[in-house]
Amino acid sequence: MFTFLGYCQHPRPTVGVCASAAQQEEAQRAGFDFMVPGVSPYLLAAADGNEIHALPVYACNVFLPAKAKCVGPEANAEALMAYADTVFRRAQQLNVPIIIFGSGAARRIPDGYSLNQATEQFVTLCRKLADRAATYGVKIALENLNSEETNFITTLEEARLICEQVNRPNFGINADIYHMLKEREPATQLQKAGKHIVHCDIAEPENRTPPGVEGTDFTAYLEALKAIGYQGGIGVEARWTDFPSQATTAYETLTRQLDAVYRTH
């Protein structure tokens, strides 16, 4: 299993950014520690122009395309596993340790399909995915989304319950603080899900702006991460209007809040 040298020595979480290969130099100049590109452009596209060399790639997100339905009558487990096999194999080749499973459109429950049936179907699929990912030394991180993006697993609490049902050592959670804020989910849920959290994402809740635009104070959520001893990565996943100018502010704002929390007590 790939790990970043020095990660365990950090006194606080490292700060990265969800961005494309084209933005890597700007991300490095802003101070970010790692990048999180998308599965399709980074792992599945032709290599030319998509290499990331300026920063480590900590994870890839947007696991499934919208058309790859994973619950409901249109779900095709065999096709999903064939697709996933390619993703996991490429992740291993490029030394990417985590695949983030958000994919709100792919996991949306169709009208008339029961939640219980969808949950059972999804858990079964995730067990198979985790077992396949394990053969490549890859972890899957299930992301809590919000109810504006999907109708299934819209809180960290729901992600935790799914994770516990899947019950695989390489199947964890990407705790997205932006989505938690959108759903008004308390920071205490991070402590309940603590042992499952392998990655975090963050952005300001009103317009998914990067830290430093609206002045969001993330302290309560960062304190909850400190309480569980979290020292992994936190990726800024935001809507940027001017990446070069906003990236530095985002990095400095988030690291300032992290330092204030992790240096106390």
Side-chain angles (χ1 to χ4, degrees):
M1 181 63 197
F2 177 84
T3 56
F4 290 123
L5 293 177
Y7 255 50
C8 61
Q9 282 78 42
H10 278 274
R12 61 157 174 78
T14 48
V15 176
V17 62
C18 301
S20 68
Q23 296 167 309
Q24 61 181 303
E25 303 290 349
E26 293 162 346
Q28 183 186 49
R29 283 194 292 271
F32 288 109
D33 301 306
F34 64 86
M35 290 183 64
V36 179
V39 162
S40 182
Y42 187 64
L43 295 182
L44 303 181
D48 292 345
N50 291 302
E51 300 93 344
I52 293 179
H53 52 79
L55 291 169
V57 175
Y58 182 71
C60 285
N61 60 10
V62 195
F63 176 32
L64 297 178
K67 64 181 181 180
K69 305 302 182 186
C70 51
V71 297
E74 295 181 19
N76 183 331
E78 185 176 342
L80 286 170
M81 292 303 297
Y83 170 86
D85 193 77
T86 301
V87 171
F88 300 147
R89 183 173 65 251
R90 286 289 291 154
Q92 182 188 54
Q93 291 169 352
L94 294 178
N95 222 14
V96 176
I98 298 170
I99 298 298
I100 297 172
F101 194 167
S103 310
R107 77 188 196 206
R108 174 176 287 276
I109 301 173
D111 292 342
Y113 204 73
S114 78
L115 174 59
N116 287 342
Q117 192 172 0
T119 299
E120 182 178 349
Q121 189 178 18
F122 188 74
V123 168
T124 298
L125 172 66
C126 287
R127 286 173 179 158
K128 293 178 180 178
L129 289 170
D131 290 343
R132 185 66 57 85
T135 66
Y136 293 100
V138 172
K139 286 187 177 182
I140 299 172
L142 178 63
E143 181 180 359
N144 57 298
L145 299 177
N146 70 70
S147 54
E148 293 180 7
E149 297 188 6
T150 191
N151 61 359
F152 187 41
I153 315 172
T154 59
T155 65
L156 185 62
E157 172 74 358
E158 291 170 348
R160 179 182 66 82
L161 293 173
I162 292 288
C163 188
E164 289 175 354
Q165 290 182 70
V166 173
N167 193 28
R168 294 293 189 272
N170 66 320
F171 190 90
I173 292 174
N174 170 36
D176 194 306
I177 293 169
Y178 159 74
H179 293 304
M180 293 181 72
L181 289 165
K182 289 286 288 185
E183 294 296 308
R184 302 184 184 279
E185 195 173 12
T188 51
Q189 292 296 344
L190 289 164
Q191 292 172 263
K192 290 179 66 176
K195 66 180 182 180
H196 303 295
I197 297 173
V198 297
H199 181 59
C200 293
D201 281 335
I202 202 165
E204 297 179 326
E206 189 64 31
N207 296 296
R208 202 168 194 164
T209 45
V213 174
E214 296 169 354
T216 301
D217 183 355
F218 299 106
T219 297
Y221 294 84
L222 302 181
E223 286 179 340
L225 291 176
K226 181 185 178 183
I228 62 172
Y230 183 74
Q231 295 180 351
I234 300 180
V236 177
E237 186 179 19
R239 297 190 183 105
W240 308 87
T241 55
D242 185 349
F243 186 82
S245 65
Q246 290 179 311
T248 299
T249 300
Y251 175 79
E252 291 176 350
T253 300
L254 184 53
T255 54
R256 186 165 57 249
Q257 292 191 27
L258 276 165
D259 286 343
V261 167
Y262 275 71
R263 286 176 182 170
T264 57
H265 309 300

